[in-house]
Amino acid sequence: MAQSDCGKNPKTEKLVKQALASFRESNFEKSLILSRTALNAATLQKDNCLIARSYNIIAANYNAVSEFNKSIFFYKKSLGYANKTTNDSLKANIYNNLGNMHCFDRGEFDQGIRYYKKAIAYCLKTNNLKDVFFTNVNIAWAYFDIKNYDEGYLFLKYVNNNMKYGDKSTDVVVNMLNGIYLSHKKQNDEANAYFLKAIEAGNKCEEKTDLSNAYLEYATFLNKIDRHKEAYEALVNYNKITEEIYNEGKLSKASNAGISLELDEYKREIDKIENEKVEQSQSLKKSRIIVILFILISLILLFLIITLIKNIRYKKKHNLELLKAKEIAEEASLLKTQFISTISHELRTPLYGVVGITNMLLEEHKEISRSQHLSSLKFSARYLLSLVNDILQINKIEENKIVLESLTFNILDEITVIKNSLSFLSQKNNNKISIDVDPEIPEYLIGDKLRLAQILMNLVSNALKFTKDGEVEVKVDLVNVEGKLNYLNFMIKDNGIGIAAVDQSKIFEKFVQVGRKDEDYQGTGLGLSIVKRLLGLFGSTITLDSDLGKGTSFSFVIAFEHDLDKTKSIINEIEVDLTSNEIYKILVVEDNLINQLVTKKIIEKNNYACKVVDDGFAALKILEDEVFDLILMDINMPLMNGFETTKRIRLLGVDTPIVALTAFDKDEITDEAISSGMNDIIIKPFEPVKLFKIINFLINEKNAV
């Protein structure tokens, strides 16, 4: 096993080299103790390269004593830290070690060859021909091990022609491999000579593992050509050397050293969690105003939803007393439409204020602009808006009228935002959220990240509500790659109260809640129903595994595209420049004071002049004295609505472009808006870039006439 120099601390670097030397001498106990000391020092120094090298040596020790699962765990830890560095030689070395373990110890030849090829790719990237030579030796040996001599000879031939890159250790293996190949070709005299050279070279090396392998292969060869006495002597030497390397005392001491090392690993994880708790506590103290604002908004929204649901229930009960069976069905359909329209307007209107005020806080109070709680508030408001839209238009989901978007995103960033936004809920029940994202997943993916966030938000929040003093794990693994499509397996697992087998088939139905009391868990019973339907849009299904008292696990697979060219194209198409060289004069007709404030702020931030009036009569009066470049008109206003106001403005001969700024669904008002004389419609809440795009287009179109 080779190692690459990279450490910035000479003392820790020396410890790593001593650990490697002890490993080569088969002193596994000493190697593990030194590796443990080096790892602790490198962790304190935050030296990713030395951490990776320490884990690499630890993994090699476990491999040597046949603890293969632990070996894989520490090799992957090593690879994770190596990937945080620019040291390609170190990455090549780790992949080479993984190839050795899978080929020779686990018998997983195909997996081992894939690791070897990755090792060679990194070697060529750094023009490290010595490590290329070293890996080719291992590949030739692996092919010989499965009796594929012709394929293995191609690599052995390369090795024989490049012996200048070898060392004493590789001399033993190369001579042994030549002996194996010539034995296969029945060139016994030449094979015998190579085996003797291998044994002679092995006796000169401190590391005896390759010498024991040479004796074993030589014994096999001698037995094959009926030189049984000499074969027995070679086998005796093999057993003697192997016993020296792997005697019980060494293995026992190595095991004790390994236990101490594993305890250190657990302690590191606990310290990491404690540090995160301290940071969260400090951040919480600095953000009390955000917490209070979030709670107030949640209470207001909850009050609105309860009020609206009570109103709808009252209307439904009243209608049931008056209508016959056929009329009841027709009225139910009408009530559904009215419900969607009312909810759309009454919830989008305050959400417009929430999103706008959050943006204002970010812009005007730079000292809290980096607060994770403010970011969580903004994310949650936008998520709630999207969730409300989906609940209100659940019939569109069922009819497959919702089209998935193609946006570029980083999977770890998206899940981290969700984790932060749910930190209050996790703290309420003293839960911990852990994230495990497969490092093989590409950094940038393309897909509908908002719909994915809705799915994960529903599942994680559900797990947190039904778990106390426990843990919710979000795990994402790359399970398959087909062309540009990367298939990701998501698993959300908790150790909460679990779901009874009899209830598991019901929980994905609308408005269904099981295993709860009214005072324990809050919710509408729509979350899992929406999750199932959204996964249907992705062409996926959800799997449930749960036992009462043990916890619940949800899993599903979604394919996302990975295309660097397309990712760059999507990023380049994002519009970010909202400024204008022209100073336009905008009139806002809006009765809601919060929305007046938000809309005016957005317009004035773009260097436009803005005036605000409360109703249609005030708009008609100000237009008698002043000229505006564009009018933003609310629809639902007292005294006179937006449609009637627009008609009267047109009767005055005013041809100023008028844009409906409303919380109603666009499909509901398009015909009436056009007939009243409006030029366009924009739905609240909106992205400022969309508003200014419409404003500039309409004003430029008018000026061009």
Side-chain angles (χ1 to χ4, degrees), residues 38 48 64 105 131 151 295 308 423 458 510 655:
N48 290 327
D105 297 314
D131 282 351
E151 191 72 25
I295 292 171
L308 289 168
S423 60
N458 270 311
K510 289 185 286 186
D655 62 351

Side-chain angles (χ1 to χ4, degrees), residues 14 81 133 142 179 221 255 368 423 447 559 566 569 578 625 627 639:
K14 184 179 179 182
Y81 281 98
F133 171 86
F221 164 72
S255 177
I368 60 172
S423 60
K566 192 171 180 181
S569 175
L578 305 180
D625 303 319
V627 177
L639 303 179

